[in-house]
Amino acid sequence: KAVEAAIAKSPNVLSQVSFADAVQLCAAACIELLTPDDALATSRVLDAMRVGRVDAPIDASDPTGRMPSEKAGATELARVFDEQYGFDENRMVVLSGAHTVGAKGFGDGFTFDNAYYQVLLAKPWVGGDDMAQMIGLASDKSLADYARVRPLIEKYANDGLAWSRDFVDAFRAMSELGC
């Protein structure tokens, strides 16, 4: 379904689409499909995507350290986002919101929204039962206690529209880096 959505929105550029582009376009299509409200910018993330990525050689692997460890603390996350991508802490926090989908306990796992930030503020893993301890990665939990980004977490917890606008910009920028 995601591939069909990507093709439907971009039929005139298919001849120029590399495999790397296809991966990014499919990711964007999935974000659109999981966005619950047409008012959110993420419901139109495909419109922001550009093609033109060059495919890596078949035998290439991701460079070591390209992604931070899931056990990284907030300062290590910030260092990796800065050194690997040239992104500041704001973009780090914006992109971390993508963890709202999946099985780590942020939201319902199939909805792309700002539930991630609401759960970070609630910190259900603190004093919770064994299941509550399973919510999030160590890197997510570290953001909840990182004073430098707390105002941004609070902003996005209360303003899903702002998060979705900022996410589209950050997602496009990261995809253009080949991530």
Side-chain angles (χ1 to χ4, degrees):
K1 195 170 182 179
V3 172
E4 291 169 6
I7 290 170
K9 281 202 166 189
S10 307
N12 59 335
V13 296
L14 286 181
S15 64
Q16 304 164 23
V17 174
S18 65
F19 285 111
D21 286 330
V23 169
Q24 294 299 328
L25 291 171
C26 286
C30 287
I31 291 168
E32 285 191 5
L33 290 169
L34 296 175
T35 296
D37 184 344
D38 286 343
L40 297 174
T42 48
S43 71
R44 298 170 306 285
V45 69
L46 266 170
D47 296 341
M49 302 303 288
R50 295 185 276 231
V51 296
R53 292 165 194 82
V54 176
D55 288 327
I58 296 290
D59 59 348
S61 61
D62 281 341
T64 303
R66 177 139 192 176
M67 295 296 292
S69 166
E70 64 184 34
K71 297 176 184 174
T75 55
E76 175 65 7
L77 286 175
R79 184 192 65 74
V80 171
F81 271 78
D82 177 43
E83 291 178 6
Q84 293 294 325
Y85 319 120
F87 289 175
D88 62 14
E89 291 175 343
N90 289 356
R91 277 213 167 143
M92 171 188 73
V93 171
V94 168
L95 289 166
S96 294
H99 291 180
T100 196
V101 291
K104 290 313 277 176
F106 298 106
D108 72 9
F110 296 101
T111 303
F112 202 80
D113 61 13
N114 65 329
Y116 173 82
Y117 304 101
Q118 296 163 358
V119 174
L120 283 183
L121 292 177
K123 297 183 185 180
W125 53 85
V126 175
D129 61 18
D130 288 341
M131 283 303 287
Q133 300 299 318
M134 304 283 291
I135 294 173
L137 303 170
S139 57
D140 294 316
K141 294 173 186 177
S142 74
L143 288 179
D145 294 321
Y146 192 40
R148 290 171 46 161
V149 299
R150 177 75 179 209
L152 196 56
I153 292 170
E154 291 170 351
K155 173 186 173 183
Y156 292 146
N158 294 307
D159 190 348
L161 288 172
W163 171 69
S164 71
R165 282 189 303 268
D166 293 348
F167 182 85
V168 169
D169 178 60
F171 180 76
R172 180 198 44 77
M174 187 165 222
S175 75
E176 290 176 359
L177 292 174
C179 301

